Amino acid sequence: MAKIKTNSSMSNTNVNTAQNVNINYQVSSLGHRIVAFIIDLLIMAVYLILIDYIGLGFRDIVDNNTYFGISELLFLPVAFYSLFFNIAFGGGRHLANL
């Protein structure tokens, strides 16, 4: 079981894993996390609005089942947004030095 130790300023955290490996990392402040979350929400909202606008054109061309399937496929980037960017950017720490 991992033991987590934090110092009083909450800027650095030390995690001692079960294999007795120490992992040190800097914790983002609450303000940075809120700003990053708002940026993520704005990106997802713009994407969903664009997909909805484009999807309205498909609705007249295809039947309801095909439209639903296309909508679900186009929703996948939103569903896996956090997973993708955490893997791609190492937790988002590269963007704006958050």
Side-chain angles (χ1 to χ4, degrees), residues 11-30:
S11 61
N12 290 319
T13 298
N14 180 23
V15 177
N16 188 9
T17 66
Q19 290 79 19
N20 204 21
V21 175
N22 288 325
I23 301 172
N24 298 317
Y25 62 94
Q26 189 173 10
V27 179
S28 297
S29 69
L30 182 61

PDB file of all heavy atoms in Angstrom, residues 11-30:
ATOM      1  N   SER A  11       3.040  22.047  -1.844  1.00  0.00           N
ATOM      2  CA  SER A  11       3.581  22.235  -3.179  1.00  0.00           C
ATOM      3  C   SER A  11       4.254  20.971  -3.700  1.00  0.00           C
ATOM      4  O   SER A  11       4.280  20.739  -4.889  1.00  0.00           O
ATOM      5  CB  SER A  11       4.565  23.396  -3.191  1.00  0.00           C
ATOM      6  OG  SER A  11       5.643  23.125  -2.325  1.00  0.00           O
ATOM      7  N   ASN A  12       4.769  20.135  -2.823  1.00  0.00           N
ATOM      8  CA  ASN A  12       5.400  18.885  -3.224  1.00  0.00           C
ATOM      9  C   ASN A  12       4.777  17.731  -2.463  1.00  0.00           C
ATOM     10  O   ASN A  12       4.407  17.869  -1.306  1.00  0.00           O
ATOM     11  CB  ASN A  12       6.905  18.912  -2.945  1.00  0.00           C
ATOM     12  CG  ASN A  12       7.627  19.858  -3.862  1.00  0.00           C
ATOM     13  OD1 ASN A  12       7.332  19.930  -5.047  1.00  0.00           O
ATOM     14  ND2 ASN A  12       8.563  20.605  -3.304  1.00  0.00           N
ATOM     15  N   THR A  13       4.690  16.587  -3.132  1.00  0.00           N
ATOM     16  CA  THR A  13       4.150  15.388  -2.504  1.00  0.00           C
ATOM     17  C   THR A  13       5.124  14.239  -2.718  1.00  0.00           C
ATOM     18  O   THR A  13       5.696  14.097  -3.797  1.00  0.00           O
ATOM     19  CB  THR A  13       2.778  15.032  -3.102  1.00  0.00           C
ATOM     20  OG1 THR A  13       1.883  16.100  -2.846  1.00  0.00           O
ATOM     21  CG2 THR A  13       2.216  13.772  -2.484  1.00  0.00           C
ATOM     22  N   ASN A  14       5.297  13.433  -1.695  1.00  0.00           N
ATOM     23  CA  ASN A  14       6.173  12.277  -1.746  1.00  0.00           C
ATOM     24  C   ASN A  14       5.321  11.038  -1.530  1.00  0.00           C
ATOM     25  O   ASN A  14       4.639  10.917  -0.521  1.00  0.00           O
ATOM     26  CB  ASN A  14       7.256  12.391  -0.669  1.00  0.00           C
ATOM     27  CG  ASN A  14       8.205  11.222  -0.679  1.00  0.00           C
ATOM     28  OD1 ASN A  14       8.343  10.551  -1.687  1.00  0.00           O
ATOM     29  ND2 ASN A  14       8.849  10.988   0.447  1.00  0.00           N
ATOM     30  N   VAL A  15       5.348  10.102  -2.511  1.00  0.00           N
ATOM     31  CA  VAL A  15       4.600   8.857  -2.405  1.00  0.00           C
ATOM     32  C   VAL A  15       5.597   7.717  -2.302  1.00  0.00           C
ATOM     33  O   VAL A  15       6.487   7.577  -3.144  1.00  0.00           O
ATOM     34  CB  VAL A  15       3.683   8.657  -3.630  1.00  0.00           C
ATOM     35  CG1 VAL A  15       2.966   7.326  -3.541  1.00  0.00           C
ATOM     36  CG2 VAL A  15       2.692   9.795  -3.743  1.00  0.00           C
ATOM     37  N   ASN A  16       5.471   6.902  -1.267  1.00  0.00           N
ATOM     38  CA  ASN A  16       6.303   5.721  -1.088  1.00  0.00           C
ATOM     39  C   ASN A  16       5.460   4.506  -1.460  1.00  0.00           C
ATOM     40  O   ASN A  16       4.493   4.181  -0.782  1.00  0.00           O
ATOM     41  CB  ASN A  16       6.797   5.628   0.359  1.00  0.00           C
ATOM     42  CG  ASN A  16       7.815   4.535   0.541  1.00  0.00           C
ATOM     43  OD1 ASN A  16       8.294   3.950  -0.421  1.00  0.00           O
ATOM     44  ND2 ASN A  16       8.146   4.252   1.785  1.00  0.00           N
ATOM     45  N   THR A  17       5.816   3.824  -2.563  1.00  0.00           N
ATOM     46  CA  THR A  17       5.019   2.704  -3.063  1.00  0.00           C
ATOM     47  C   THR A  17       5.321   1.430  -2.277  1.00  0.00           C
ATOM     48  O   THR A  17       6.220   1.393  -1.440  1.00  0.00           O
ATOM     49  CB  THR A  17       5.317   2.464  -4.556  1.00  0.00           C
ATOM     50  OG1 THR A  17       6.672   2.038  -4.691  1.00  0.00           O
ATOM     51  CG2 THR A  17       5.065   3.709  -5.372  1.00  0.00           C
ATOM     52  N   ALA A  18       4.584   0.372  -2.592  1.00  0.00           N
ATOM     53  CA  ALA A  18       4.769  -0.914  -1.920  1.00  0.00           C
ATOM     54  C   ALA A  18       6.131  -1.524  -2.243  1.00  0.00           C
ATOM     55  O   ALA A  18       6.642  -2.332  -1.472  1.00  0.00           O
ATOM     56  CB  ALA A  18       3.658  -1.879  -2.327  1.00  0.00           C
ATOM     57  N   GLN A  19       6.719  -1.149  -3.365  1.00  0.00           N
ATOM     58  CA  GLN A  19       8.039  -1.642  -3.737  1.00  0.00           C
ATOM     59  C   GLN A  19       9.150  -0.771  -3.156  1.00  0.00           C
ATOM     60  O   GLN A  19      10.300  -0.876  -3.572  1.00  0.00           O
ATOM     61  CB  GLN A  19       8.180  -1.696  -5.267  1.00  0.00           C
ATOM     62  CG  GLN A  19       7.345  -2.755  -5.927  1.00  0.00           C
ATOM     63  CD  GLN A  19       5.890  -2.346  -6.067  1.00  0.00           C
ATOM     64  OE1 GLN A  19       5.545  -1.173  -6.000  1.00  0.00           O
ATOM     65  NE2 GLN A  19       5.019  -3.329  -6.226  1.00  0.00           N
ATOM     66  N   ASN A  20       8.796   0.112  -2.232  1.00  0.00           N
ATOM     67  CA  ASN A  20       9.723   1.008  -1.558  1.00  0.00           C
ATOM     68  C   ASN A  20      10.420   1.964  -2.537  1.00  0.00           C
ATOM     69  O   ASN A  20      11.612   2.218  -2.453  1.00  0.00           O
ATOM     70  CB  ASN A  20      10.760   0.234  -0.742  1.00  0.00           C
ATOM     71  CG  ASN A  20      11.334   1.086   0.378  1.00  0.00           C
ATOM     72  OD1 ASN A  20      10.727   2.071   0.784  1.00  0.00           O
ATOM     73  ND2 ASN A  20      12.495   0.719   0.871  1.00  0.00           N
ATOM     74  N   VAL A  21       9.635   2.475  -3.486  1.00  0.00           N
ATOM     75  CA  VAL A  21      10.121   3.466  -4.438  1.00  0.00           C
ATOM     76  C   VAL A  21       9.486   4.799  -4.083  1.00  0.00           C
ATOM     77  O   VAL A  21       8.270   4.891  -3.939  1.00  0.00           O
ATOM     78  CB  VAL A  21       9.758   3.068  -5.887  1.00  0.00           C
ATOM     79  CG1 VAL A  21      10.161   4.160  -6.871  1.00  0.00           C
ATOM     80  CG2 VAL A  21      10.393   1.746  -6.246  1.00  0.00           C
ATOM     81  N   ASN A  22      10.295   5.827  -3.920  1.00  0.00           N
ATOM     82  CA  ASN A  22       9.783   7.161  -3.615  1.00  0.00           C
ATOM     83  C   ASN A  22       9.502   7.909  -4.904  1.00  0.00           C
ATOM     84  O   ASN A  22      10.354   7.986  -5.788  1.00  0.00           O
ATOM     85  CB  ASN A  22      10.784   7.954  -2.773  1.00  0.00           C
ATOM     86  CG  ASN A  22      10.860   7.439  -1.365  1.00  0.00           C
ATOM     87  OD1 ASN A  22       9.867   7.009  -0.801  1.00  0.00           O
ATOM     88  ND2 ASN A  22      12.054   7.469  -0.791  1.00  0.00           N
ATOM     89  N   ILE A  23       8.314   8.457  -5.003  1.00  0.00           N
ATOM     90  CA  ILE A  23       7.921   9.266  -6.152  1.00  0.00           C
ATOM     91  C   ILE A  23       7.621  10.668  -5.633  1.00  0.00           C
ATOM     92  O   ILE A  23       6.726  10.857  -4.816  1.00  0.00           O
ATOM     93  CB  ILE A  23       6.682   8.681  -6.852  1.00  0.00           C
ATOM     94  CG1 ILE A  23       6.967   7.258  -7.318  1.00  0.00           C
ATOM     95  CG2 ILE A  23       6.257   9.558  -8.012  1.00  0.00           C
ATOM     96  CD1 ILE A  23       5.751   6.541  -7.852  1.00  0.00           C
ATOM     97  N   ASN A  24       8.366  11.637  -6.115  1.00  0.00           N
ATOM     98  CA  ASN A  24       8.160  13.037  -5.726  1.00  0.00           C
ATOM     99  C   ASN A  24       7.578  13.795  -6.904  1.00  0.00           C
ATOM    100  O   ASN A  24       8.057  13.676  -8.023  1.00  0.00           O
ATOM    101  CB  ASN A  24       9.493  13.685  -5.330  1.00  0.00           C
ATOM    102  CG  ASN A  24      10.104  13.017  -4.139  1.00  0.00           C
ATOM    103  OD1 ASN A  24       9.408  12.704  -3.185  1.00  0.00           O
ATOM    104  ND2 ASN A  24      11.402  12.771  -4.194  1.00  0.00           N
ATOM    105  N   TYR A  25       6.553  14.585  -6.663  1.00  0.00           N
ATOM    106  CA  TYR A  25       6.002  15.429  -7.716  1.00  0.00           C
ATOM    107  C   TYR A  25       5.389  16.675  -7.100  1.00  0.00           C
ATOM    108  O   TYR A  25       5.033  16.703  -5.936  1.00  0.00           O
ATOM    109  CB  TYR A  25       4.985  14.680  -8.587  1.00  0.00           C
ATOM    110  CG  TYR A  25       3.761  14.186  -7.858  1.00  0.00           C
ATOM    111  CD1 TYR A  25       2.598  14.941  -7.821  1.00  0.00           C
ATOM    112  CD2 TYR A  25       3.755  12.956  -7.226  1.00  0.00           C
ATOM    113  CE1 TYR A  25       1.480  14.491  -7.158  1.00  0.00           C
ATOM    114  CE2 TYR A  25       2.641  12.488  -6.568  1.00  0.00           C
ATOM    115  CZ  TYR A  25       1.504  13.262  -6.550  1.00  0.00           C
ATOM    116  OH  TYR A  25       0.396  12.821  -5.898  1.00  0.00           O
ATOM    117  N   GLN A  26       5.265  17.703  -7.942  1.00  0.00           N
ATOM    118  CA  GLN A  26       4.720  18.971  -7.485  1.00  0.00           C
ATOM    119  C   GLN A  26       3.213  18.992  -7.723  1.00  0.00           C
ATOM    120  O   GLN A  26       2.739  18.632  -8.798  1.00  0.00           O
ATOM    121  CB  GLN A  26       5.378  20.127  -8.233  1.00  0.00           C
ATOM    122  CG  GLN A  26       5.024  21.481  -7.683  1.00  0.00           C
ATOM    123  CD  GLN A  26       5.830  22.582  -8.360  1.00  0.00           C
ATOM    124  OE1 GLN A  26       6.498  22.343  -9.345  1.00  0.00           O
ATOM    125  NE2 GLN A  26       5.746  23.765  -7.820  1.00  0.00           N
ATOM    126  N   VAL A  27       2.473  19.416  -6.744  1.00  0.00           N
ATOM    127  CA  VAL A  27       1.023  19.465  -6.813  1.00  0.00           C
ATOM    128  C   VAL A  27       0.589  20.825  -7.338  1.00  0.00           C
ATOM    129  O   VAL A  27       1.092  21.857  -6.899  1.00  0.00           O
ATOM    130  CB  VAL A  27       0.406  19.213  -5.416  1.00  0.00           C
ATOM    131  CG1 VAL A  27      -1.104  19.296  -5.469  1.00  0.00           C
ATOM    132  CG2 VAL A  27       0.850  17.877  -4.875  1.00  0.00           C
ATOM    133  N   SER A  28      -0.345  20.824  -8.288  1.00  0.00           N
ATOM    134  CA  SER A  28      -0.880  22.083  -8.822  1.00  0.00           C
ATOM    135  C   SER A  28      -1.803  22.726  -7.801  1.00  0.00           C
ATOM    136  O   SER A  28      -2.469  22.045  -7.028  1.00  0.00           O
ATOM    137  CB  SER A  28      -1.650  21.824 -10.111  1.00  0.00           C
ATOM    138  OG  SER A  28      -0.815  21.310 -11.100  1.00  0.00           O
ATOM    139  N   SER A  29      -1.868  24.036  -7.837  1.00  0.00           N
ATOM    140  CA  SER A  29      -2.743  24.751  -6.906  1.00  0.00           C
ATOM    141  C   SER A  29      -4.202  24.598  -7.347  1.00  0.00           C
ATOM    142  O   SER A  29      -4.493  24.226  -8.484  1.00  0.00           O
ATOM    143  CB  SER A  29      -2.367  26.225  -6.855  1.00  0.00           C
ATOM    144  OG  SER A  29      -2.699  26.853  -8.077  1.00  0.00           O
ATOM    145  N   LEU A  30      -5.104  24.916  -6.464  1.00  0.00           N
ATOM    146  CA  LEU A  30      -6.527  24.814  -6.753  1.00  0.00           C
ATOM    147  C   LEU A  30      -6.922  25.755  -7.886  1.00  0.00           C
ATOM    148  O   LEU A  30      -7.710  25.394  -8.768  1.00  0.00           O
ATOM    149  CB  LEU A  30      -7.349  25.127  -5.493  1.00  0.00           C
ATOM    150  CG  LEU A  30      -8.863  25.025  -5.636  1.00  0.00           C
ATOM    151  CD1 LEU A  30      -9.263  23.611  -6.022  1.00  0.00           C
ATOM    152  CD2 LEU A  30      -9.542  25.441  -4.348  1.00  0.00           C
TER     153      LEU A  30
END
